[in-house]
């Protein structure tokens, strides 16, 4: 093995198993573009502060650009004895520029360097996930116009409850994914302060300019406390927790659509492109993608727990445990990206099975609550109305009919305040039209919501 970059203090070579055990290049290599950007900003600042000459700065920046190109082209060799991406790039720089490259790490430690790299990654990752969330919302909105003719049963306890416009469902998911987006933006803003220049944990006695590197890297300011910076990973815990919340939403959506695709529900048909067959049963069209979106949520939720457990027992400041943070962060991010991309595609292309929805829409007394509210409007106390409709539902079950099939006499026997106009509240279409409250599932309310989302998503 090499006598490392910090080699002076060591007289014995590192055990090969230790090199294998402590390396992170196998998972932090993807930080390379951020590491290069951070180092270029650092070099620019060092030159401004008189810690590098302009010529040295230019040599460093040019060599780092070349290294970046080499990495992009897949021509960059990884050697585990160089541990991590930071050491790899620094060594490559020294190979190209000699003593000039040996000056780059002035006033910096890998502790503030890695925190900076990860924050730069996090900003891009947040932006990308937000964009993908918006694409999912757009997919729901895009299909809304063609689904405005469909009423669906809505459920509580997975029992038929009340009718809503199908679009009410679509826009409910838009709301959830919107909160997910806002949470990410909120954490991104909190995380966007620069760690660079906190060095190992206590700062530097060299006249470096932290505000300048913060500015060059697009941070909103600098982190106040160097000891905090060196150990701070709560920005990652926040990020991955928000990804876990997205995964929870995606999983619940997938579960619902899996049910809807069954012969039992017959509400939805996925496109062939997003289903899979069975190796033995020729008739099958399985919603494997939805099942895996549900299944992969476990990974993302586990990633957030992994980070929390990782951070909970660490004294200030940097501890090598923190190197393990990247594994769950990258895995959770990659998983969510893949899930959101497929979610948008499935949302956009699945078809509602209008015939079977309509054929069964009048089942399950979806208009019972509307009938009760009719009684309230006629002056019946709510609890009495509730009981009355309960007995009418029981009567229908005995007769095997719908509420709308009962006669006026039967209604009046149950409650003498019922009039002929009761039939205007009965049947699913009447019931869905009857909602007047803001945010309800009635056609007019849903159209208002839809206009809101179209406007918001076109911004
Ligand atoms: N690869 C390390 C990590 O990801 C970089 C920081 C190493 N710092 C140290 N003091 N050994 O955390």
């Amino acid at each position: 093995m090499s006598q490392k970059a910090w080699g002076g203090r060591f007289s014995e070579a590192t055990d090969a198993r230790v090199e294998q055990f402590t390396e992170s290049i196998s998972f932090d290599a993807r930080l390379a573009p951020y590491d290069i950007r951070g180092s270029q900003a650092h070099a620019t600042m060092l030159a401004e502060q008189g810690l590098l000459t302009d010529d040295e700065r230019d040599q460093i920046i040019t060599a780092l650009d070349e290294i970046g190109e080499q990495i992009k082209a897949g021509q960059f060799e990884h050697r585990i004895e160089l541990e991590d991406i930071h050491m790899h790039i620094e060594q490559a720089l020294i190979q190209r520029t000699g003593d000039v490259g040996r000056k780059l790490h002035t006033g910096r430690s890998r502790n503030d360097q890695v925190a900076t790299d990860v924050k730069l990654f996090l900003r891009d990752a947040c932006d990308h996930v937000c964009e993908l969330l918006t694409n999912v919302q757009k997919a729901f909105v895009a299909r809304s116009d063609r689904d405005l003719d469909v009423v669906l049963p809505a459920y509580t306890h997975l029992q038929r409850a009340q009718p809503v416009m199908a679009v009410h469902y679509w826009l409910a998911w838009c709301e959830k994914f919107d909160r997910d987006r806002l949470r990410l933006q909120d954490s991104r803003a909190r995380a966007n302060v620069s760690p660079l220049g906190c060095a190992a944990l206590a700062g530097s006695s060299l006249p470096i300019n932290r505000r300048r590197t913060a500015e060059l890297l697009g941070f909103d300011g600098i982190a106040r406390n160097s000891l905090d910076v060196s150990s701070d990973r709560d920005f990652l815990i926040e990020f991955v927790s928000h990804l876990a919340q997205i995964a929870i939403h995606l999983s619940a959506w997938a579960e619902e659509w899996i049910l809807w695709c069954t012969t039992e529900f017959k509400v939805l048909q996925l496109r062939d492109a997003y289903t899979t067959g069975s190796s033995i049963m020729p008739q099958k069209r399985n919603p494997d993608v939805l099942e895996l979106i549900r299944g992969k949520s476990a990974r993302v939720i586990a990633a957030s727990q992994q980070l929390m457990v990782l951070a909970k027992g660490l004294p200030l400041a940097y501890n090598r445990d923190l190197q393990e943070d990247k594994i769950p962060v990258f895995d959770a991010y990659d998983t969510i990206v893949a899930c959101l991309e497929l979610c948008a595609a499935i949302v956009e292309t699945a078809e509602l099975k209008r015939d079977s929805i309509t054929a069964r829409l009048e089942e399950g007394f979806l208009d019972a609550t509307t009938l009760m509210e009719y009684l309230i409007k006629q002056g019946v106390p709510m609890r009495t109305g509730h009981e009355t409709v309960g007995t009418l539902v029981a009567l229908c079950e005995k007769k095997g009919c719908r509420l709308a099939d009962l006669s006026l006499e039967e209604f009046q026997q149950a409650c003498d305040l019922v009039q002929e106009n009761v039939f205007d509240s009965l049947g699913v279409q009447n019931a869905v039209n009857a909602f007047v409250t803001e945010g309800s599932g009635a056609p007019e309310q849903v159209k208002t919501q839809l206009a809101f989302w179209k406007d918001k998503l076109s911004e």
Side-chain angles (χ1 to χ4, degrees), residues 24 28 84 86 110-111 114 233 318 320 322-323 326:
S24 58
D28 66 16
D84 56 23
H86 325 294
R110 274 186 301 161
N111 297 349
V114 69
R233 291 298 181 275
Y318 180 84
R320 191 61 178 273
L322 293 174
Q323 177 168 287
K326 289 158 215 68

Side-chain angles (χ1 to χ4, degrees), residues 60 90 93-94 97-105:
I60 288 173
E90 191 185 356
L93 176 72
I94 291 169
T97 61
D99 274 350
V100 172
R102 293 174 73 91
K103 293 183 175 180
L104 173 64
H105 212 49

Side-chain angles (χ1 to χ4, degrees), residues 110-149:
R110 274 186 301 161
N111 297 349
D112 57 340
Q113 187 180 357
V114 69
T116 304
D117 291 5
V118 173
K119 281 193 169 183
L120 293 176
F121 163 83
L122 175 107
R123 288 193 328 209
D124 281 356
C126 277
D127 293 346
H128 189 46
V129 174
C130 285
E131 193 186 313
L132 294 176
L133 285 166
T134 307
N135 288 346
V136 169
Q137 293 177 306
K138 283 181 176 163
F140 275 115
V141 168
R143 64 168 305 135
S144 289
D145 279 325
R146 66 175 153 58
D147 290 338
L148 271 172
D149 58 323

Side-chain angles (χ1 to χ4, degrees), residues 20-41:
Q20 190 69 52
F21 190 68
T22 56
E23 66 87 21
S24 58
I25 186 65
S26 57
F27 53 87
D28 66 16
R30 68 192 283 173
L31 290 176
Y34 304 107
D35 200 70
I36 288 172
R37 239 175 98 196
S39 288
Q40 289 179 328

Side-chain angles (χ1 to χ4, degrees), residues 24-269:
S24 58
I25 186 65
S26 57
F27 53 87
D28 66 16
R30 68 192 283 173
L31 290 176
Y34 304 107
D35 200 70
I36 288 172
R37 239 175 98 196
S39 288
Q40 289 179 328
H42 186 65
T44 301
M45 177 278 292
L46 289 178
E48 287 169 5
Q49 300 301 108
L51 291 160
L52 288 178
T53 66
D54 287 357
D55 176 56
E56 288 169 334
R57 174 201 59 206
D58 292 346
Q59 283 187 54
I60 288 173
I61 288 178
T62 307
L64 285 171
D65 276 337
E66 288 164 10
I67 294 165
E69 290 305 317
Q70 204 188 342
I71 292 172
K72 246 197 247 159
Q75 289 159 356
F76 193 72
E77 199 200 337
H78 293 164
R79 293 161 42 204
I80 58 163
E81 67 270 22
L82 287 177
E83 255 188 56
D84 56 23
I85 189 61
H86 325 294
M87 304 288 288
H88 273 79
I89 291 175
E90 191 185 356
Q91 277 303 308
L93 176 72
I94 291 169
Q95 256 169 27
R96 282 164 190 264
T97 61
D99 274 350
V100 172
R102 293 174 73 91
K103 293 183 175 180
L104 173 64
H105 212 49
T106 302
R108 183 177 81 171
S109 146
R110 274 186 301 161
N111 297 349
D112 57 340
Q113 187 180 357
V114 69
T116 304
D117 291 5
V118 173
K119 281 193 169 183
L120 293 176
F121 163 83
L122 175 107
R123 288 193 328 209
D124 281 356
C126 277
D127 293 346
H128 189 46
V129 174
C130 285
E131 193 186 313
L132 294 176
L133 285 166
T134 307
N135 288 346
V136 169
Q137 293 177 306
K138 283 181 176 163
F140 275 115
V141 168
R143 64 168 305 135
S144 289
D145 279 325
R146 66 175 153 58
D147 290 338
L148 271 172
D149 58 323
V150 182
V151 175
L152 285 175
Y155 300 79
T156 60
H157 315 274
L158 207 53
Q159 303 289 315
R160 286 195 169 203
Q162 291 185 281
V164 295
M165 302 292 288
V167 174
H168 204 42
Y169 268 97
W170 307 161
L171 301 184
W173 290 114
C174 282
E175 297 286 348
K176 292 182 199 300
F177 290 123
D178 209 52
R179 290 193 295 274
D180 291 340
R181 203 174 45 75
L182 291 172
R183 270 186 282 270
L184 281 172
Q185 286 175 351
D186 177 54
S187 319
R188 186 198 191 283
R190 199 176 2 268
N192 198 29
V193 287
S194 176
L196 207 55
C198 286
L201 77 167
S204 173
S205 59
L206 294 165
I208 57 171
N209 183 348
R210 293 192 57 208
R211 293 189 185 273
R212 180 67 177 134
T213 43
E215 180 188 287
L216 287 167
L217 293 170
F219 286 108
D220 294 330
I222 59 169
R224 270 190 298 269
N225 183 310
S226 63
L227 201 54
D228 169 41
V229 164
S230 179
S231 58
D232 172 26
R233 291 298 181 275
D234 40 81
F235 66 96
L236 292 179
I237 293 180
E238 274 188 47
F239 173 59
V240 178
S241 300
H242 298 339
L243 296 186
Q245 178 58 71
I246 296 170
I248 291 166
H249 282 151
L250 283 169
S251 179
W253 162 77
E255 166 68 9
E256 184 164 274
W257 279 33
I258 288 166
L259 286 171
W260 286 8
C261 288
T262 59
T263 307
E264 285 69 17
F265 271 81
K266 259 199 210 151
V267 165
L268 200 69
Q269 166 113 346

Side-chain angles (χ1 to χ4, degrees), residues 151 161-164 361-371 374 402-406 411 421-435:
V151 175
Q162 291 185 281
V164 295
L361 197 57
E362 296 294 333
E363 289 173 30
F365 304 101
L366 292 167
D367 50 358
T369 307
T370 315
L371 173 60
Y374 167 82
R402 307 171 307 160
L403 284 165
D405 298 324
L406 295 176
F411 279 114
N421 65 358
V422 68
F423 293 101
D424 298 342
S425 299
L426 295 175
V428 168
Q429 193 60 54
N430 283 332
V432 80
N433 289 342
F435 297 114

